[in-house]
């Protein structure tokens, strides 16, 4: 496990963060779920880690609003869709 949250400056966390492979699976499921939707417009409100993963590192300002298409995203470590994504 490699700590991804800020560390090395005396920070203490109650538990370990989410392992990268688990996060990648969760984000892949989100991506495939969004891709499966019939809506023409979906608002996604999320934390910076989700944006960073979905855009392979693009930086957004706090509370920034952007309009984009699913096709323009560049997910990092996108996994194959599972048979049944809820």
């Amino acid at each position: 496990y490699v700590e991804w949250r800020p560390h090395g400056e005396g920070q203490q966390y109650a538990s370990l963060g989410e392992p990268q492979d688990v996060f990648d699976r969760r984000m892949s499921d989100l991506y495939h779920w969004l891709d499966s939707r019939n809506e023409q417009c979906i608002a996604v409100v999320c934390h910076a880690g989700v944006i960073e993963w979905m855009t392979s590192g693009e930086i957004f300002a706090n509370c920034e609003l952007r309009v984009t298409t699913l096709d323009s995203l560049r997910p990092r470590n996108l996994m194959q869709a599972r048979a049944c994504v809820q």
Side-chain angles (χ1 to χ4, degrees):
Y1 172 78
V2 176
E3 181 59 68
W4 58 269
R5 297 172 290 188
H7 60 284
E9 297 178 12
Q11 297 92 333
Q12 293 183 345
Y13 299 100
S15 63
L16 291 177
E18 185 175 33
Q20 187 65 48
D21 62 323
V22 174
F23 182 72
D24 289 341
R25 169 46 55 202
R26 192 161 56 90
M27 293 298 96
S28 293
D29 288 347
L30 172 63
Y31 179 89
H32 293 300
W33 179 80
L34 289 169
D35 192 36
S36 75
R37 304 299 300 168
N38 292 323
E39 292 86 358
Q40 295 296 308
C41 183
I42 300 174
V44 176
V45 179
C46 59
H47 289 279
V50 174
I51 295 170
E52 191 275 335
W53 189 91
M54 288 283 187
T55 64
S56 289
E58 196 168 331
I59 303 299
F60 282 49
N62 192 32
C63 299
E64 181 177 345
L65 170 68
R66 289 195 194 179
V67 177
T68 189
T69 63
L70 194 68
D71 292 339
S72 70
L73 296 177
R74 299 175 319 279
R76 178 176 298 175
N77 300 326
L78 181 63
M79 299 176 175
Q80 293 292 323
R82 293 196 259 194
C84 181
V85 176
Q86 298 291 325

